[in-house]
Amino acid sequence: MRLADLRGRSVAVWGTGREGRAAVTAIAAQGPSRLLAVDDSANFLSVPWEGELAEKAPLAGGDHAFPALVSADVVVRSPGVPQTHPWMVELRSRGVTVTGGSALWMADHARKTVGVTGSKGKSTTAALISHLLAAAGRPNVFGGNIGVPLLDLPDSDQYVLELSSYQCSDLTDSPRVAVVTSLFPEHLDAHGGEREYYRDKLNLLAHSPELIVVNGADERLVTETLAMRDVNNWPAIPAGSGDSRFRIEDDGLVYCSDDALFPRDALKLRGRHNGRNLCVALAVLDGMGLDVLKLKDELAAAVATFQGLPHRLAEIEDPSGLTFVDDTLSTSPYSAMHAIDAYEGRPLTVLVGGTDRGLDYAPLRDHLKGREITVIGLPDSGPRILAALQDLAGVRTESAEDLPAAVRLARELTPARGVVLLSPAAPSYGRYRNFEHRSEVFAEAVRASAQPADRRA
């Protein structure tokens, strides 16, 4: 379904955030027979919905929300509406078409798009692809699940998008180049289970892309995509594994087949996972027809200037000599494991805990076997994570009542030149407005907990 298909039809946009507002603006221009905005929250009366938006799409909330949805020909779901919402089940049983703003946009722009998803690494990899394409003379627009709704993107000959599982689940068109960086259980409450999450995430690949690139070092991802094919019936191209065309060898160099390109350390981002993200990005450029070997000097220079994204292993300078690291976007045990590996060989204190979604933390316990590490648990899931690590040799566990208290305790427990890593393995909502708010609280706690002599320095 394309935007133009909504002309003359009754449409309800479910959600009044950035995605919903973008959808209303785009759909109103198509001339629907009726357009409503729907907010099913308890505080819908406080939603700022006035002026031009209200004229284009009156707001239905409270007792009017569900009737507005079921009376529509098409419901455009914002990504924040989970697939498991009981109204979603009812809408589909009544034959109401449900789509999303990302799916409407992709239907018109798929052939010009590189789409990147993954349980971990999608933001960094998408940003790397965009950055390297630009350095190779391929200007592009970078957007997607980074705060810019697809329906608000400007016109361009090339797009590079980071796409969440919520966005992928609605797609009926795959981007020209479909990329997956990793796959592990995430957002299970919103998708209905592990299998449903994998299905929704990998829907990015399901509609005849011209090229599929995956992280070949992720065994689960490789297994789940074995049967998936591009439009020419070719399987996914693996990158980052030992037998991949693009890989990092023990000599610390990035290779394209038998040719060394540049040192892995040209990329300033820590962690083996970020090295694999770089290999995936290079495989995408190669698959798009760029001569990576010929351009290796330009690409090396571009890699060296690439800046990491906020809230992903972002280091905070501290005069004490400790390194504080903001990895607040770590919302699963698997992402915390990647972050811990990035600081292997240094004394490490990890702050974990947040909204408890009932995740299994046994993989984190297995990952920490044989390590010397301190783990501080935060509400709400912190106590359950610490229980999973109980009696694990070499692992010291402590509790803190909140994030500032955890930072103060970490200062006391972490040896000189060590690392204090906020990698919560859980989302931020509940106690914080969003992940940015959790980052702000962490940064302020680091500043506030510095000793007076440190602050003078």
Side-chain angles (χ1 to χ4, degrees), residues 114 129 132-133 136 138 176-177 179 210-213 237-239 244-247 255-257 259 261 278-295 299:
V114 177
I129 293 169
L132 296 181
L133 280 174
R138 297 278 188 93
R176 179 190 173 205
V177 181
V179 183
E210 294 181 21
L211 175 69
I212 301 173
V213 179
I237 295 172
S244 299
R245 174 170 163 82
F246 290 93
R247 66 197 182 281
Y255 279 82
C256 171
S257 295
D259 297 289
L261 296 176
L278 173 59
C279 291
V280 169
L282 291 169
V284 168
L285 267 65
D286 183 62
M288 293 176 68
L290 278 74
D291 189 335
V292 172
L293 285 173
K294 185 177 179 180
L295 292 167
L299 293 175

Side-chain angles (χ1 to χ4, degrees), residues 106 109-117 129 133 138 158-161 163 173-180 204-205 207-214 230 237 280-281 283-289:
M106 190 68 75
H109 299 87
R111 294 306 98 187
K112 302 192 292 183
T113 300
V114 177
V116 184
T117 195
I129 293 169
L133 280 174
R138 297 278 188 93
Q158 179 73 68
Y159 298 92
V160 180
L161 305 180
L163 298 168
D173 300 84
S174 289
R176 179 190 173 205
V177 181
V179 183
V180 190
L204 182 75
L205 317 180
H207 307 285
S208 302
E210 294 181 21
L211 175 69
I212 301 173
V213 179
V214 300
D230 64 24
I237 295 172
V280 169
V284 168
L285 267 65
D286 183 62
M288 293 176 68

Side-chain angles (χ1 to χ4, degrees), residues 320-325 343 346-349 414-421:
S320 68
L322 295 176
T323 300
F324 288 84
V325 183
Y343 290 92
R346 294 184 63 183
L348 182 61
T349 298
T414 309
R417 306 299 171 188
V419 176
V420 178
L421 170 65

Side-chain angles (χ1 to χ4, degrees), residues 377-396:
L378 297 160
D380 296 315
S381 61
R384 198 164 64 80
I385 298 173
L386 297 186
L389 305 179
Q390 192 172 13
D391 301 325
L392 194 58
V395 177
R396 174 176 181 172

Side-chain angles (χ1 to χ4, degrees), residues 75-134:
V75 170
V76 178
R77 175 188 73 98
S78 293
V81 177
Q83 294 284 4
T84 53
H85 195 294
W87 290 1
M88 289 285 287
V89 178
E90 182 65 21
L91 288 169
R92 289 184 171 125
S93 72
R94 297 189 183 207
V96 177
T97 299
V98 180
T99 186
S102 299
L104 292 170
W105 183 92
M106 190 68 75
D108 287 322
H109 299 87
R111 294 306 98 187
K112 302 192 292 183
T113 300
V114 177
V116 184
T117 195
S119 304
K120 173 76 174 178
K122 59 184 179 293
S123 304
T124 297
T125 304
L128 255 174
I129 293 169
S130 174
H131 184 70
L132 296 181
L133 280 174

Side-chain angles (χ1 to χ4, degrees), residues 140-223:
N140 61 89
V141 167
F142 175 50
N145 187 43
I146 55 167
V148 182
L150 271 59
L151 289 170
D152 277 345
L153 293 176
D155 290 336
S156 177
D157 292 331
Q158 179 73 68
Y159 298 92
V160 180
L161 305 180
E162 178 216 348
L163 298 168
S164 70
S165 55
Y166 310 120
Q167 292 170 303
C168 290
S169 65
D170 290 323
L171 298 181
T172 53
D173 300 84
S174 289
R176 179 190 173 205
V177 181
V179 183
V180 190
T181 60
S182 61
L183 193 66
F184 50 76
E186 258 279 45
H187 308 301
L188 304 188
D189 51 342
H191 291 272
E194 186 171 336
R195 297 309 314 168
E196 290 80 6
Y197 168 70
Y198 294 165
R199 175 202 65 202
D200 290 346
K201 176 71 79 174
L202 297 179
N203 189 47
L204 182 75
L205 317 180
H207 307 285
S208 302
E210 294 181 21
L211 175 69
I212 301 173
V213 179
V214 300
N215 170 12
D218 187 321
E219 294 181 4
R220 180 187 286 110
L221 172 58
V222 170
T223 299

